[in-house]
Amino acid sequence: MDTLSARIIAGEGTAEATWQHWFRRHPLPTVPARALVVPGHAVHVVAPHPDDEVLGCGGTLHQWARCNVDVHLWAVTDGEASHPGSTVWTPAQLAEIRVHESLTAQQRLSLRARRHRLRVPDGQVAVHESRISDALCRALMPGDTVVAPWRFDAHPDHEAVARACLRAAQTIGCRVIEMPIWGWHWADPATGDLPFERAVAVRLPRRDRLAKRQAMSAFRSQLGPDPSTGAPPVLPAYALARWQRPFEVFFL
């Protein structure tokens, strides 16, 4: 797998129809959401930006909520850099609004999670990897599960968070599960870009899909165009389609 050759988030990326065709020919092994967490231990979902926790595993979070799993949500940044140059969404406004959007999404998932807000500067996560790893080490317990972005997701902040999670988990003795978020955009199923040999899928019944969709709709700052810059939505329809599947994929 050449994960360094074409990891570029640009254009409309790989169409969801292409992925669906591939999944019909190559069904993934499925596991129940509870199987991803060691009984009696917590799961820590580490989101580089507010919304990543829902895009990557919102349906699974909804299932964990029903199972009373001890969930910790980590907001590494406040997502204040999502609209560069905007006069409608200033960084200060975004930092406040996006955190509120994440809280609303959590409520829509019926999730009672302990939240950890690190306030790392958006777009500069790599500079603060040690700080993130240290914060995780102080909260993790041996046997906990850490859910991180995929280490080759292509977004620099996502990959930095993944490295910090892997380092902390190795130090404490935790399991790391990776979730692709922007990997669905740049990867090509025909070329083996994604490590499907260690992939599992969590099926999402209708109520989980509906809850995830409602949670995704909480991120209003990311769902509309910016009239002050002419920029399209950060989360356009063709990208949202990849996160509205009846299953979520994790790399074990």
Side-chain angles (χ1 to χ4, degrees), residues 132-156:
I132 299 166
S133 179
D134 291 346
L136 284 166
C137 283
R138 290 192 292 272
L140 295 175
M141 298 292 292
D144 286 353
T145 299
V146 180
V147 179
W150 180 38
R151 69 190 74 179
F152 297 119
D153 210 36
H155 191 301

Side-chain angles (χ1 to χ4, degrees), residues 51-108:
D51 70 15
D52 289 321
E53 74 280 18
V54 175
L55 301 178
C57 63
T60 301
L61 283 169
H62 193 236
Q63 294 190 30
W64 282 335
R66 288 201 304 277
C67 299
N68 296 315
V69 171
D70 183 12
V71 177
H72 294 241
L73 287 181
W74 291 76
V76 175
T77 78
D78 290 340
E80 71 274 12
S82 65
H83 290 66
S86 176
T87 57
V88 175
W89 301 101
T90 67
Q93 290 172 323
L94 284 165
E96 180 179 349
I97 290 169
R98 296 194 67 184
V99 170
H100 177 73
E101 291 172 344
S102 178
L103 286 166
T104 301
Q106 178 182 331
Q107 293 169 354
R108 293 180 181 180

Side-chain angles (χ1 to χ4, degrees), residues 17-250:
T18 301
W19 285 113
Q20 290 300 329
H21 177 73
W22 191 90
F23 284 125
R24 284 193 293 272
R25 294 168 59 89
H26 305 85
L28 298 177
T30 60
V31 297
R34 293 189 68 163
L36 297 177
V37 183
V38 178
H41 290 273
V43 59
H44 296 253
V45 178
V46 188
H49 312 96
D51 70 15
D52 289 321
E53 74 280 18
V54 175
L55 301 178
C57 63
T60 301
L61 283 169
H62 193 236
Q63 294 190 30
W64 282 335
R66 288 201 304 277
C67 299
N68 296 315
V69 171
D70 183 12
V71 177
H72 294 241
L73 287 181
W74 291 76
V76 175
T77 78
D78 290 340
E80 71 274 12
S82 65
H83 290 66
S86 176
T87 57
V88 175
W89 301 101
T90 67
Q93 290 172 323
L94 284 165
E96 180 179 349
I97 290 169
R98 296 194 67 184
V99 170
H100 177 73
E101 291 172 344
S102 178
L103 286 166
T104 301
Q106 178 182 331
Q107 293 169 354
R108 293 180 181 180
L109 293 172
S110 303
L111 182 63
R112 294 182 179 179
R114 282 180 273 183
R115 298 181 65 91
H116 307 265
R117 184 180 178 186
L118 298 183
R119 292 186 172 90
V120 170
D122 189 2
Q124 302 177 41
V125 175
V127 180
H128 299 271
E129 277 184 39
S130 295
R131 174 184 160 196
I132 299 166
S133 179
D134 291 346
L136 284 166
C137 283
R138 290 192 292 272
L140 295 175
M141 298 292 292
D144 286 353
T145 299
V146 180
V147 179
W150 180 38
R151 69 190 74 179
F152 297 119
D153 210 36
H155 191 301
D157 283 352
H158 289 212
E159 297 188 1
V161 167
R163 291 191 295 270
C165 289
L166 288 163
R167 187 181 309 125
Q170 184 176 27
T171 300
I172 303 300
C174 299
R175 180 189 195 189
V176 176
I177 296 173
E178 297 171 77
M179 56 182 179
I181 300 173
W182 286 106
W184 298 119
H185 184 96
W186 65 264
D188 181 346
T191 58
D193 290 324
L194 296 178
F196 282 121
E197 69 278 4
R198 58 186 182 98
V200 297
V202 172
R203 294 288 176 189
L204 304 182
R206 184 173 181 272
R207 61 176 172 173
D208 297 321
R209 298 199 301 274
L210 289 175
K212 181 175 183 178
R213 186 174 302 174
Q214 291 171 351
M216 289 168 60
S217 70
F219 299 102
R220 296 180 60 187
S221 67
Q222 309 298 295
L223 297 173
D226 185 341
S228 70
T229 62
V234 176
L235 300 177
Y238 60 80
L240 291 172
R242 304 182 190 117
W243 300 306
Q244 293 176 331
R245 298 169 184 157
F247 57 88
E248 289 171 338
V249 176
F250 301 91

